[in-house]
Amino acid sequence: MRRLDLLGVGVGPFNLSLAALASGVPGLAAAFLDRLPEFRWHPGLMIEGATVQVPFLADLVSLVEPTHPLSFLSYLADVERLFPFYFAERLHVDRTEYDDYLRWASKRMPTCHFDTDVAGIDWSPEHNAFVVDTGTPNPWYAKNVVLGVGSSPSVPAAVRSLVADPAALVLHSADYLDHREQLASAGDVVVIGSGQSGAEVFLDLLRRRPVGRERLRWFARTSALAPMEYSKLGLEHFTPDYTRYFHGLPGPVRTRLVDEQWQLYKGISAETMAEIHDELYRRSVHCGWPDVAITPGVEVRKARQFDGRYELDLGHTQDQAARTVTADGIVLATGYAERPLEELLGPLHERLVRDPAGRLLVDADYRVRFDPAIGGALFVQNAEMHTHGVGSPDLGLGAWRAATILNSILDREVFRLPKRTAFTRFGLAPSTEG
């Protein structure tokens, strides 16, 4: 019987961070399972030159154990690129390089098992452990399970039928690179979405289409195409200090703050916005205004296929105008949604405790609250923005969260975590640190 102290479901960056830190804990029996044949991180958005939005120190381990053998600098040394990186003087690395680093790390951890699909998780009173079904005669048993199943592309209801049609050139940005050449040569192309992915797709297509004949439209539902908050004090919302403060707030206050703080995690980098403007300006020198429309404040109300093309019924949220546009290709950069857990957890799902809005209750150590008759612990990674704040999907907090989970599982301070991480004092409650 394969009995573990810790089993991770899904091997994305966050559970990979957990696996890396766990690999240095003597005597800890752990395994991490993923259905894919190898590690892949947003393969459809590996656009040349696109960078990770956090510094390279937001790797799997450095912000907890900077001397760990699976750090980004260790990767550079192993592939003999440390000196070129030194001279490049880059704080933010290309997304393709970060993906290569993560894949390099995954191959150095025997606890990561790919090509292993988790069909279901249940609690076994007989074994006093979670039983994890992978479709084989021998399931895995674990006292603690960490769900890192990631998110899935979010597609507006009005466009779902078109996206579901494999023959239609209507797709989520997660699949952009697979269809880039078709989109680059299509007639009229529409990009929908106000965040970083929408901006990157728009810029990439703009650069690939003929000057003066771009025939490119970019619509966003937000009232403006706003830059992401990237001031140094603003970034302190992505510290453990703010995470702890946020977790201690009443539920309704947390919900309101997440909505208000959209620019901390849904905006566009100032560099990408500048590159878009520069490209448009260059094209205007000899051919006048490019054949481009960038329009915020727009929502898609209906979509349909007509005569081999796609029609979108649009409405403006401010001036209330309505218009129908026709396109030969559509890219939906409309974000991602948490993967539902009902199918994965089966009957166990009904034993989870939820808040009035139906969301999981997650404690400060990322443990999900459920029926006390269950003797094990179930943790989540990147499914707790409503309880831990905007830093939940941020790579910079990945190692700290993984260390927090491991300290909780082992019931001791295996990883010494800083008591203070921000100059900002969040709230007026007395502080014992510093």
Side-chain angles (χ1 to χ4, degrees):
M1 184 175 71
R2 296 178 288 191
R3 188 178 181 90
L4 304 168
D5 302 307
L6 164 64
L7 188 142
V9 180
V11 184
F14 295 130
N15 262 357
L16 200 58
S17 175
L18 186 66
L21 291 175
S23 68
V25 180
L28 180 68
F32 297 83
L33 314 179
D34 197 281
R35 60 183 175 81
L36 295 177
E38 66 173 353
F39 181 88
R40 298 297 302 274
W41 184 57
H42 297 302
L45 280 171
M46 292 293 157
I47 299 170
E48 299 86 345
T51 59
V52 181
Q53 298 300 301
V54 290
F56 71 89
L57 285 173
D59 62 13
L60 298 176
V61 293
S62 288
L63 290 174
V64 170
E65 281 199 356
T67 59
H68 196 284
L70 292 176
S71 71
F72 182 76
L73 291 179
S74 295
Y75 153 77
L76 290 174
D78 185 62
V79 298
E80 300 185 1
R81 294 180 57 245
L82 198 53
F83 269 92
F85 180 76
Y86 166 61
F87 291 120
E89 297 184 334
R90 299 191 65 184
L91 188 61
H92 295 83
V93 301
D94 282 2
R95 199 175 293 154
T96 52
E97 183 175 21
Y98 194 79
D99 174 64
D100 191 62
Y101 154 66
L102 295 176
R103 192 156 39 257
W104 169 89
S106 72
K107 292 176 180 177
R108 279 153 181 76
M109 285 186 276
T111 55
C112 292
H113 302 266
F114 293 91
D115 255 334
T116 306
D117 193 12
V118 174
I121 303 171
D122 204 351
W123 175 254
S124 171
E126 177 187 356
H127 298 94
N128 192 33
F130 291 101
V131 54
V132 180
D133 177 16
T134 57
T136 66
N138 300 312
W140 299 74
Y141 293 89
K143 188 68 173 178
N144 303 279
V145 170
V146 182
L147 300 179
V149 294
S151 54
S152 56
S154 178
V155 176
V159 199
R160 283 176 194 160
S161 62
L162 293 178
V163 174
D165 181 357
L169 191 58
V170 181
L171 57 131
H172 192 274
S173 57
D175 300 314
Y176 170 65
L177 285 186
D178 290 337
H179 302 273
R180 179 165 66 176
E181 296 310 314
Q182 288 176 274
L183 290 161
S185 59
D188 293 281
V189 176
V190 168
V191 177
I192 298 172
S194 60
Q196 182 69 20
S197 296
E200 289 176 355
V201 168
F202 177 83
L203 177 60
D204 191 58
L205 286 173
L206 178 61
R207 287 170 169 166
R208 292 170 182 276
R209 296 173 74 82
V211 175
R213 294 181 287 114
E214 294 84 2
R215 299 171 66 183
L216 190 57
R217 310 288 180 265
W218 181 14
F219 299 112
R221 188 171 57 180
T222 54
S223 59
L225 295 171
M228 190 177 295
E229 169 58 56
Y230 209 74
S231 65
K232 293 179 180 179
L233 287 177
L235 288 176
E236 292 196 337
H237 287 87
F238 298 95
T239 58
D241 282 12
Y242 184 73
T243 300
R244 287 189 286 260
Y245 165 75
F246 185 92
H247 189 269
L249 295 172
V253 176
R254 295 196 302 245
T255 299
R256 175 174 56 81
L257 280 175
V258 169
D259 291 339
E260 291 176 353
Q261 293 171 343
W262 65 270
Q263 208 166 336
L264 287 169
Y265 63 102
K266 285 186 177 180
I268 304 168
S269 75
E271 291 80 6
T272 304
M273 296 182 80
E275 287 182 74
I276 290 171
H277 191 276
D278 289 347
E279 181 67 28
L280 292 170
Y281 183 77
R282 278 192 293 269
R283 288 168 176 256
S284 73
V285 173
H286 300 295
C287 297
W289 293 97
D291 186 7
V292 167
I294 303 174
T295 314
V298 173
E299 60 182 6
V300 179
R301 294 173 177 171
K302 289 183 181 180
R304 59 193 166 272
Q305 190 166 1
F306 178 75
D307 199 21
R309 305 185 79 201
Y310 313 106
E311 290 185 342
L312 296 173
D313 292 342
L314 308 176
H316 202 280
T317 59
Q318 296 170 9
D319 64 18
Q320 305 305 311
R323 180 186 170 193
T324 298
V325 300
T326 304
D328 299 286
I330 301 172
V331 182
L332 301 160
T334 45
Y336 296 80
E338 293 177 10
R339 294 187 188 276
L341 300 177
E342 290 86 348
E343 184 176 351
L344 179 65
L345 297 179
L348 190 62
H349 185 264
E350 299 302 320
R351 304 174 75 175
L352 302 177
V353 181
R354 299 180 176 274
D355 67 12
R359 300 170 299 191
L360 298 176
L361 289 180
V362 186
D363 73 12
D365 290 342
Y366 301 93
R367 183 188 294 103
V368 176
R369 191 184 304 174
F370 51 47
D371 186 340
I374 297 174
L378 182 70
F379 298 83
V380 291
Q381 298 221 63
N382 194 17
E384 71 288 347
M385 186 181 287
H386 60 290
T387 56
H388 287 70
V390 294
S392 293
D394 191 79
L395 292 171
L397 280 172
W400 178 83
R401 176 172 51 200
T404 300
I405 291 172
L406 286 168
N407 284 348
S408 179
I409 288 173
L410 297 164
D411 198 26
R412 67 182 191 274
E413 192 182 53
V414 178
F415 300 98
R416 186 173 65 89
L417 299 177
K419 292 183 171 56
R420 185 174 178 185
T421 55
F423 292 110
T424 306
R425 295 286 194 182
F426 300 103
L428 291 176
S431 175
T432 58
E433 296 102 24

